[in-house]
Amino acid sequence: MDWMAGVNVPDEVGQKSLTKALAEKRCIPVFLDEEIVHQYYNGYCNNILWPLFHYLGLPQEDRLATTRSFQSQFAAYKKANQMFADVVNEHYEEGDVVWCHDYHLMFLPKCLKEYNSKMKVGWFLHTPFPSSEIHRTLPSRSELLRSVLAADLVGFHTYDYARHFVSKLTRVAAFPIGIDSERFIRALEVPDVIQHMKELKERFAGRKVMLGVDRLDIIKGIPQKILAFEKFLEENASWRDKVVLLQIAVPTRTDVPEYQKLTSQVHEIVGRINGRFGTLTAAPIHHLDRSLDFYALCALYAVTDVALVTSLRDGMNLVSYEFVACQEAKKGVLILSEFAGAAQSLGAGAILVNPWNITEVAASIGQALNMSSEEREKRHRHNFHHVKTHTSQEWAETFVSELNDTVIEAQLRISKVPPELPQNDAIRRYSKSTNRLLILGFNATLTEPVDNQGRRGDQIKEMDLNLHPELKGPLKALCSDPNTTIVVLSGSSRSVLDKNFGEYDMWLAAENGMFLRLTNGEWMTTMPEHLNMEWVDSVKHVFKYFTERTPRSHFETRDTSLIWNYKYADIEFGRLQARDLLQHLWTGPISNASVDVVQGSRSVEVRAVGVTKGAAIDRILGEIVHSKSMTTPIDYVLCIGHFLGKDEDVYTFFEPELPSDIIPAIARPRPSSDSGTKSSPGDRKPPSKSTHSKKHGSKSSSSSNSYNNNKASQRLSPEKISWNVLELKGENYFSCAVGRTRTSARYLLGSPDDVVCFLEKLADTTVPNSSSSS
């Protein structure tokens, strides 16, 4: 991680000393000289970009001087970004993810990509991104935008900011940041904080406490907040001795005349209101021009009845999150500006206000102070859950995961169309292997063809997925071979797979592998332990709305996903509606939910984060090995399907030619009733670890998934010895996409009819014998 050193360190000895100290925190400094810092940081970053991005416009005082100084400031900005790039490049190792942050480093993605076009580069903006009529006033705007577009992924706090930054050249997504909520919750149990809370309660006994915590900044709306409080006191005489506003205004940029002017203005308003409504023993406003230490701040958050955030423009505003995290006991009310990014995350539980409307803010103060405990509890519960689940850690993991997905998908876009499946070779190697695994998709892979003859098809008939009738014989033959294990891995529901494959001796993995059963056994769930499904009802509401307004569209509800399908609708109208539907989703129900949106050619699917066929394979494989008591490794894998891009990780899971990270732990799937209800925590088995023995570039037969953990060995092998579940040579692995040319699979088959022909040939080589190796 690179940091600007933050202090001027001109001598080499000091630089070495600071570098050593930062290394302990896994940081690497970038040393900028004083002139560059002045022109780059104080100049271009904070005098030009920051006001513009917050809708304050370019500096007004001396237009000519601004124009003259702009070029030198922009030159310094580019030079500083280049210095960051130099340091990154010096320490970069293949596979590293480079995450650039904020408006200070907009030129960095371009510099990095010029060094190495394969570098994974993401850029995230922590401020708002303005609409085009504001942004177009920025000189050199095109150069900056092109630089940012060099990144593989561009992230913003809210969908509004992302919408202002629309581009077809890179992926743009909303990633609302969070806080380390547990740090604040734990702090409330510290004796010093408890004592401080006691003192504050005694100090303000009999009065409701209102709190504002802001940087003393033009965009924070502090004067508007105080004037609204004054109006509330004017109109509510009975509250004058029963409420106090504590305003913490942390000084910033104290040497800038504009901020000095703001400080004087705030002091003047506070003095006037205290003189007007105060008494000899009590003042309605307590104003501090300083910061508080962490524990004092937590105590203050915890005793507050109403928090007041009135930003005129704010990228996110995490003070609102910190307040909510400390309010589990008090369940106070949050009044929040609609112009803060946090309004899209905490808007449901907060009272949203327009800070420019003093009357509205004053009325909201009254609403908050008079709110019933039931409503306060309901609002707090909603926001507290959001703050606890959408943490800074989760934000970072989501961004990096999306960046990795973006890079993979970009590689797919430029990859060549794979060759047709070499059927004779696949069959020959199948016949020579001893323990085979066949993973087959269902829809558009094993399904019967529908004869439309140019007409609009029978929608009801097509929606009812049926196994291709000519596959029944070949599947029976393949299943009868004890050396062959077949898994049908599908996005379809359990009932659909039951109906089509109940008579075969095989494994069924429904809903992208979230449910699993051997056909003579019960369904069990392989879901990750903490799958958040709270988004389902709100997404269902959107899908229902678009189904009603899009003729011949329909949506399907599954336990872990919802799918809106417009395959049978008018093509152009369906695409327009899909675009509109996505916008509804991003601005509403999923703007902050832990979900993936998976777009098919004529469908939109919303599923819980982490639900992919590849992610499920690890758990499925563990269950198969355990259930069949395998004692020899799988030495042949055939994977055929019409899988969406999100699910193509199933191909790379088995790919012996690729370097792999440690594969996720194999967890024993949990029993599941047909209703799809999860078992209680007490029923869950701890996952066993799995490791990967492969080294980069290795192609040896032992280069595969090893389960060497003692517990795994005990479970998988009665002899308690370590062994490789997979010993897969590259020439014994056949991944094949059906009807999709943009794929990471090795080979192609054109249609389900081609799949039938191939599986018929494969079945002809199957000769059941008694010498089973599995």
Side-chain angles (χ1 to χ4, degrees):
M1 186 182 294
D2 287 6
W3 291 99
M4 194 165 74
V7 288
N8 185 30
V9 190
D11 62 289
E12 199 175 323
V13 175
Q15 289 186 2
K16 281 184 178 174
S17 172
L18 183 57
T19 301
K20 188 177 177 184
L22 285 171
E24 293 174 12
K25 299 181 184 294
R26 301 189 68 193
C27 294
I28 302 161
V30 179
F31 295 104
L32 309 177
D33 63 54
E34 232 169 334
E35 178 57 23
I36 284 190
V37 168
H38 176 67
Q39 294 262 33
Y40 154 65
Y41 186 74
N42 300 330
Y44 194 77
C45 289
N46 290 334
N47 199 39
I48 291 171
L49 289 182
W50 188 89
L52 191 85
F53 282 17
H54 287 87
Y55 287 74
L56 300 175
L58 292 171
Q60 300 290 325
E61 292 80 24
D62 180 356
R63 301 294 287 191
L64 196 61
T66 300
T67 308
R68 272 207 315 268
S69 62
F70 173 83
Q71 274 316 110
S72 63
Q73 290 181 359
F74 187 53
Y77 180 88
K78 290 200 285 188
K79 185 174 180 184
N81 274 242
Q82 186 63 56
M83 290 167 80
F84 270 85
D86 292 342
V87 174
V88 170
N89 200 50
E90 192 181 324
H91 295 87
Y92 174 81
E93 293 178 10
E94 190 176 346
D96 286 350
V97 171
V98 185
W99 189 356
C100 314
H101 286 266
D102 228 359
Y103 58 94
H104 311 84
L105 296 175
M106 292 180 77
F107 208 71
L108 185 54
K110 179 173 181 284
C111 298
L112 294 172
K113 287 287 190 176
E114 283 173 353
Y115 276 130
N116 182 348
S117 61
K118 292 181 180 175
M119 203 181 274
K120 289 181 189 174
V121 178
W123 179 77
F124 187 88
L125 182 66
H126 290 266
T127 69
F129 190 84
S131 55
S132 61
E133 67 271 17
I134 299 289
H135 185 264
R136 68 198 296 190
T137 62
L138 175 69
S140 294
R141 63 180 187 266
S142 300
E143 198 172 349
L144 270 190
L145 282 181
R146 284 199 187 97
S147 303
V148 170
L149 288 172
D152 298 294
L153 176 65
V154 173
F156 300 90
H157 282 307
T158 74
Y159 177 78
D160 284 356
Y161 307 158
R163 189 165 46 82
H164 291 153
F165 188 101
V166 173
S167 165
K168 293 176 183 171
L169 302 177
T170 193
R171 180 175 295 196
V172 176
F175 304 92
I177 201 172
I179 60 169
D180 180 359
S181 53
E182 290 301 323
R183 181 176 176 235
F184 287 85
I185 293 165
R186 284 195 305 270
L188 301 183
E189 298 169 4
V190 173
D192 283 358
V193 176
I194 294 168
Q195 177 60 29
H196 201 49
M197 285 166 61
K198 185 174 174 237
E199 290 166 5
L200 286 167
K201 285 174 184 172
E202 290 169 0
R203 171 78 180 80
F204 299 114
R207 291 201 281 176
K208 294 279 188 183
V209 176
M210 295 183 61
L211 176 66
V213 178
D214 306 276
R215 279 186 298 110
L216 189 60
D217 211 324
I218 299 155
I219 61 151
K220 295 296 183 180
I222 297 173
Q224 286 82 354
K225 180 190 306 187
I226 299 169
L227 290 170
F229 184 61
E230 179 184 33
K231 186 166 183 66
F232 171 76
L233 295 178
E234 271 176 15
E235 297 174 349
N236 298 274
S238 61
W239 272 104
R240 288 175 190 170
D241 59 347
K242 294 177 187 167
V243 65
V244 60
L245 171 63
L246 309 179
Q247 176 61 50
I248 314 297
V250 182
T252 57
R253 308 179 195 174
T254 49
D255 54 339
V256 178
E258 215 168 4
Y259 287 80
Q260 293 167 352
K261 189 173 155 189
L262 176 65
T263 306
S264 302
Q265 184 188 11
V266 170
H267 287 176
E268 186 184 317
I269 300 171
V270 169
R272 179 169 57 74
I273 296 170
N274 280 342
R276 185 179 173 194
F277 295 110
T279 65
L280 288 171
T281 55
I285 301 176
H286 291 232
H287 180 84
L288 292 181
D289 273 334
R290 62 182 178 83
S291 58
L292 294 181
D293 69 63
F294 178 67
Y295 285 158
L297 185 62
C298 289
L300 196 50
Y301 281 141
V303 302
T304 294
D305 296 280
V306 180
L308 200 46
V309 176
T310 54
S311 310
L312 307 179
R313 191 68 64 176
D314 221 343
M316 196 62 178
N317 189 287
L318 294 180
V319 163
S320 53
Y321 277 60
E322 293 171 0
F323 166 73
V324 169
C326 295
Q327 281 288 311
E328 188 61 336
K330 190 117 190 177
K331 296 174 177 58
V333 182
L334 173 63
I335 296 175
L336 179 60
S337 164
E338 65 184 81
F339 300 118
Q344 293 193 21
S345 309
L346 304 179
I351 300 173
L352 291 184
V353 294
N354 175 356
W356 295 102
N357 188 338
I358 303 297
T359 306
E360 181 191 344
V361 180
S364 297
I365 291 171
Q367 181 189 348
L369 290 170
N370 293 305
M371 191 179 288
S372 69
S373 58
E374 290 81 13
E375 188 180 348
R376 282 194 291 111
E377 158 81 35
K378 192 175 177 183
R379 286 174 177 268
H380 169 74
R381 182 66 40 225
H382 186 96
N383 281 353
F384 188 70
H385 175 74
H386 181 88
V387 168
K388 276 207 66 167
T389 52
H390 292 79
T391 61
S392 49
Q393 180 68 23
E394 194 240 16
W395 165 77
E397 287 171 359
T398 305
F399 186 94
V400 173
S401 169
E402 187 77 4
L403 175 56
N404 284 325
D405 282 356
T406 304
V407 171
I408 290 164
E409 286 173 27
Q411 288 165 351
L412 282 181
R413 280 197 294 275
I414 59 173
S415 61
K416 293 177 182 174
V417 175
E420 192 175 328
L421 177 69
Q423 297 188 22
N424 293 339
D425 189 38
I427 292 165
R428 183 168 54 82
R429 294 194 173 277
Y430 174 90
S431 61
K432 287 185 177 179
S433 54
T434 55
N435 191 4
R436 309 137 183 155
L437 176 65
L438 273 53
I439 296 169
L440 306 173
F442 179 42
N443 190 13
T445 303
L446 305 179
T447 45
E448 65 180 345
V450 179
D451 183 15
N452 291 337
Q453 294 180 336
R455 300 189 303 271
R456 300 186 81 180
D458 184 337
Q459 182 176 340
I460 298 300
K461 187 179 176 185
E462 284 189 50
M463 284 167 59
D464 189 18
L465 297 176
N466 291 307
L467 177 66
H468 198 300
E470 291 177 33
L471 274 175
K472 293 185 177 181
L475 280 182
K476 274 264 166 61
L478 291 167
C479 288
S480 67
D481 185 343
N483 297 340
T484 301
T485 304
I486 296 182
V487 181
V488 173
L489 177 55
S490 171
S492 297
S493 65
R494 286 168 280 177
S495 59
V496 169
L497 296 191
D498 282 339
K499 183 189 81 170
N500 283 283
F501 299 99
E503 63 187 274
Y504 303 96
D505 181 15
M506 61 169 62
W507 289 84
L508 303 179
E511 296 199 26
N512 301 305
M514 291 299 102
F515 296 98
L516 179 69
R517 83 174 176 105
L518 190 54
T519 42
N520 62 6
E522 295 298 313
W523 282 106
M524 58 191 90
T525 177
T526 71
M527 284 187 211
E529 297 292 330
H530 305 293
L531 209 59
N532 186 334
M533 300 298 293
E534 293 178 2
W535 48 269
V536 167
D537 287 341
S538 51
V539 172
K540 195 182 289 183
H541 183 73
V542 173
F543 278 12
K544 188 177 179 186
Y545 171 70
F546 277 89
T547 300
E548 287 169 357
R549 64 185 260 187
T550 312
R552 302 197 79 192
S553 71
H554 65 279
F555 77 92
E556 302 163 47
T557 306
R558 294 171 187 163
D559 285 310
T560 53
S561 66
L562 293 172
I563 301 161
W564 182 68
N565 190 307
Y566 57 100
K567 177 180 177 182
Y568 309 99
D570 176 85
I571 293 176
E572 288 307 315
F573 184 64
R575 281 179 188 152
L576 284 171
Q577 294 296 81
R579 202 176 304 157
D580 204 5
L581 175 141
L582 287 167
Q583 195 163 340
H584 271 71
L585 288 176
W586 283 119
T587 53
I590 66 167
S591 59
N592 299 298
S594 296
V595 296
D596 283 325
V597 177
V598 185
Q599 293 185 58
S601 58
R602 306 287 291 278
S603 66
V604 176
E605 180 180 359
V606 178
R607 58 170 86 155
V609 160
V611 174
T612 68
K613 290 182 170 71
I617 276 288
D618 194 50
R619 299 188 289 271
I620 292 168
L621 195 60
E623 187 58 29
I624 290 171
V625 171
H626 172 69
S627 174
K628 296 190 77 168
S629 302
M630 280 189 188
T631 53
T632 58
I634 294 166
D635 59 353
Y636 178 98
V637 175
L638 171 70
C639 185
I640 302 178
H642 179 80
F643 300 137
L644 295 171
K646 194 81 184 173
D647 294 310
E648 287 213 332
D649 54 354
V650 71
Y651 297 138
T652 49
F653 181 94
F654 290 101
E655 185 58 77
E657 305 297 327
L658 293 175
S660 293
D661 298 326
I662 292 173
I663 287 175
I666 285 188
R668 286 293 312 278
R670 306 187 296 280
S672 165
S673 68
D674 281 341
S675 65
T677 54
K678 296 183 187 177
S679 57
S680 67
D683 296 333
R684 295 172 184 170
K685 305 243 185 348
S688 64
K689 305 289 182 191
S690 68
T691 58
H692 207 287
S693 66
K694 188 186 310 180
K695 296 289 184 285
H696 178 68
S698 168
K699 297 183 183 179
S700 69
S701 62
S702 62
S703 299
S704 47
N705 309 4
S706 314
Y707 299 91
N708 293 329
N709 176 280
N710 284 335
K711 287 182 183 173
S713 301
Q714 289 167 15
R715 201 188 71 201
L716 300 176
S717 170
E719 290 78 27
K720 300 185 182 180
I721 55 168
S722 301
W723 60 286
N724 290 346
V725 170
L726 284 172
E727 283 194 354
L728 192 60
K729 294 180 180 177
E731 57 268 29
N732 269 13
Y733 176 52
F734 296 88
S735 56
C736 182
V738 180
R740 284 185 181 276
T741 54
R742 188 177 288 173
T743 177
S744 61
R746 290 181 167 197
Y747 306 110
L748 287 180
L749 280 172
S751 70
D753 286 336
D754 296 328
V755 176
V756 171
C757 292
F758 171 63
L759 291 182
E760 283 176 339
K761 291 181 199 169
L762 197 64
D764 287 342
T765 68
T766 298
V767 181
N769 58 60
S770 56
S771 59
S772 166
S773 57
S774 59

